[in-house]
């Protein structure tokens, strides 16, 4: 690849003689040339700038000097039809790993480093019209530098290491921060295994490859959620497996068809009654066996899951209702309801037992970890009341629910009859001990 850099400080780019980029130049993978802009000045003082039209502080670089210089460099060696003219400026589009990848595919890059208040705007306007030339104004971040030279160093290094043969082991390009996975990279460790009292995470020395892969993925997700939450929001939904979603739920996210969104888990308030009734009416029928007539389900929904019932539940000090909502829109995503001092039918004399009477999540969000977080919160609330166990009944036919509760630590302890619209249904009773964590 051919790269030309134009600057009034050619020495600023001498670091590009070192390290990987220096080697790439020596081996011919990168043909990098640095030019002194002042070579194209014509006056005695080698002037490159002047005062801004319209007034204001600082100086602006003259278009005539830049025009002569760029014509000479662009018409020199290298492909004439696949050139990117790169202009570093804090007012540019943000330079990212995607930009670097795109530039690595260009035939040729010419970098025009401005100083002072920048280059006369007609220069980019003019070269954008040059056939075979793409002009890109790029910023390397939200801060101000004195000129484009440091940005040119950044761009050349980021692009050069993507050129075939520059990085010795191409594998090391695969799992990097800002790579295709869209996550920050997991932390790395090497010998010694003990250093100043700090140990290497045990999983990394376990030899268990699948666990190591999972641990690294968890670390990458945790770091990204903590440091760059906006990157989490850009993850495609289909790139996230169940373990990812469970972890993201712990970290305060839920995943819908569009990807992760921030969620909020809180105690329900009186104003939630209508949304609770709506969601209950939508989700309860889905938990019923297919043999149960629709009118029996409808009667149950109309008498026990209507807005008036939820108002009563919300006012009842013996009940704890928690909700998960979309943090931005407030939309209700799921809820749990616990009834305190409610012994299980399998053990009617049990003291201090609480019933997980409801746990429902919007069907399109099933498997997204929200229910697990809601159950964890209910369990904590129950623990604070001093209760010893949390139990629930779920229809024998609902194997999906049973598997979910098993993952939450519940075990089947017996059966019960549960009436829906006057029709007795077979439920399994599941229970979990509650301890303060
Ligand atoms: Cl590309 N140039 C200057 N002068 N300042 C910057 C920058 C570029 N990117 C961030 N700050």
């Amino acid at each position: 690849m051919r790269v030309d850099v134009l600057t009034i400080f050619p020495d600023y780019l001498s670091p590009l003689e070192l390290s990987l980029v220096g080697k790439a130049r020596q081996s011919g993978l990168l043909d990098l040339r640095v030019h002194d802009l002042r070579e194209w000045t014509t006056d005695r003082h080698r002037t490159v700038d002047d005062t801004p039209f319209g007034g204001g502080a600082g100086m602006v670089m003259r278009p005539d000097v830049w025009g002569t210089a760029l014509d000479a460099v662009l018409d020199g060696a290298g492909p004439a039809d696949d050139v990117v003219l790169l202009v570093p400026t804090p007012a540019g589009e943000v330079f990212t790993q995607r930009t670097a990848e795109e530039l690595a595919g260009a035939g040729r890059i010419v970098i025009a480093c401005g100083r002072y208040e920048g280059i006369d705007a007609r220069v980019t306007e003019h070269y954008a019209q040059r056939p075979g030339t793409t002009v890109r104004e790029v910023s390397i971040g939200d801060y101000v530098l004195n000129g484009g030279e440091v940005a040119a160093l950044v761009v050349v290094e980021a692009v050069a290491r993507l050129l075939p043969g520059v990085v010795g082991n191409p594998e090391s390009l695969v799992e990097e921060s800002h790579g295709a996975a869209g996550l920050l990279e997991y932390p790395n460790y090497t010998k010694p295994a003990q250093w100043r009292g700090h140990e290497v995470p045990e999983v990394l020395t376990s030899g268990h490859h699948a666990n190591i892969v999972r641990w690294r993925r968890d670390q990458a997700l945790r770091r990204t959620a903590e440091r760059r939450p906006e990157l989490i929001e850009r993850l495609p939904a289909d790139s996230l497996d169940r373990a990812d979603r469970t972890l993201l739920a712990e970290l305060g996210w839920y995943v819908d068809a569009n990807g992760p969104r921030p969620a909020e888990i809180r105690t329900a308030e009186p104003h939630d009654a209508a949304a609770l009734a709506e969601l209950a009416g939508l989700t309860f029928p889905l938990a019923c066996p297919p043999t149960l007539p629709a009118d029996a389900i409808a009667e149950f929904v109309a008498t026990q899951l209507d807005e008036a019932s939820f108002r009563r539940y919300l006012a009842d000090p013996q009940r704890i209702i928690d909700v998960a909502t979309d943090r931005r829109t407030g939309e209700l995503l799921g809820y749990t309801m616990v009834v305190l001092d409610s012994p299980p039918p399998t053990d009617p004399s049990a003291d201090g037992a609480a019933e997980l009477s409801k746990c429902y999540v919007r069907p399109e969000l099933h498997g997204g970890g929200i229910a697990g977080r809601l159950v964890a919160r209910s369990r904590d609330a129950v623990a604070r009341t001093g209760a010893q166990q949390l139990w629930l009944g779920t229809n024998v036919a609902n194997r999906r629910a049973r598997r979910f509760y098993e993952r939450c630590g519940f075990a089947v302890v017996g059966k019960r009859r549960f009436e829906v619209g006057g029709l007795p249904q077979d439920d399994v009773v599941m229970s979990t001990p509650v301890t303060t964590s």
Side-chain angles (χ1 to χ4, degrees), residues 141-154:
D142 292 342
Y143 39 79
V144 177
L145 305 169
N146 289 330
E149 286 75 12
V150 169
L153 291 175
V154 167

Side-chain angles (χ1 to χ4, degrees), residues 219-232:
Q219 291 292 313
L221 283 162
R222 280 183 189 280
R223 273 193 164 179
T224 311
E226 173 78 22
R227 301 174 181 179
R228 300 291 303 278
E230 79 279 14
L231 299 184
I232 295 286

Side-chain angles (χ1 to χ4, degrees), residues 169-313:
N169 179 3
E171 291 258 321
S172 58
L173 299 177
V174 174
E175 288 192 2
E176 292 179 318
S177 296
H178 305 294
L183 297 172
L184 303 185
E185 201 195 356
Y186 50 78
N188 289 295
Y189 300 84
T190 186
K191 289 169 271 300
Q194 299 259 3
W195 178 73
R196 297 191 182 181
H198 302 266
E199 305 206 358
V200 172
E202 213 174 293
V203 61
L204 298 179
T205 54
S206 71
H208 193 304
H209 184 64
N211 287 357
I212 293 171
V213 170
R214 186 64 247 168
W215 182 86
R216 286 178 166 166
R217 174 98 181 152
D218 285 353
Q219 291 292 313
L221 283 162
R222 280 183 189 280
R223 273 193 164 179
T224 311
E226 173 78 22
R227 301 174 181 179
R228 300 291 303 278
E230 79 279 14
L231 299 184
I232 295 286
E233 292 200 56
R234 283 187 225 143
L235 296 172
D238 63 12
S239 72
L240 300 165
D241 66 18
R242 185 197 276 279
D244 294 339
R245 288 165 194 234
T246 305
L247 177 64
L248 283 172
E250 258 171 53
L251 301 175
W253 299 82
Y254 77 99
V255 181
D256 72 7
N258 298 313
R261 300 283 168 263
E264 177 175 53
I265 304 238
R266 59 171 172 82
T267 304
E269 291 165 27
H271 71 259
D272 293 312
L276 282 163
E278 194 211 316
L279 182 56
L282 183 85
T283 52
F284 178 77
L286 302 172
C288 293
T291 51
L292 193 61
D295 55 345
I297 297 174
E299 193 206 300
F300 187 89
V301 169
T303 58
Q304 320 237 359
L305 299 176
D306 59 323
E307 189 177 333
S309 299
F310 274 103
R311 277 189 206 293
R312 271 187 280 110
Y313 301 151

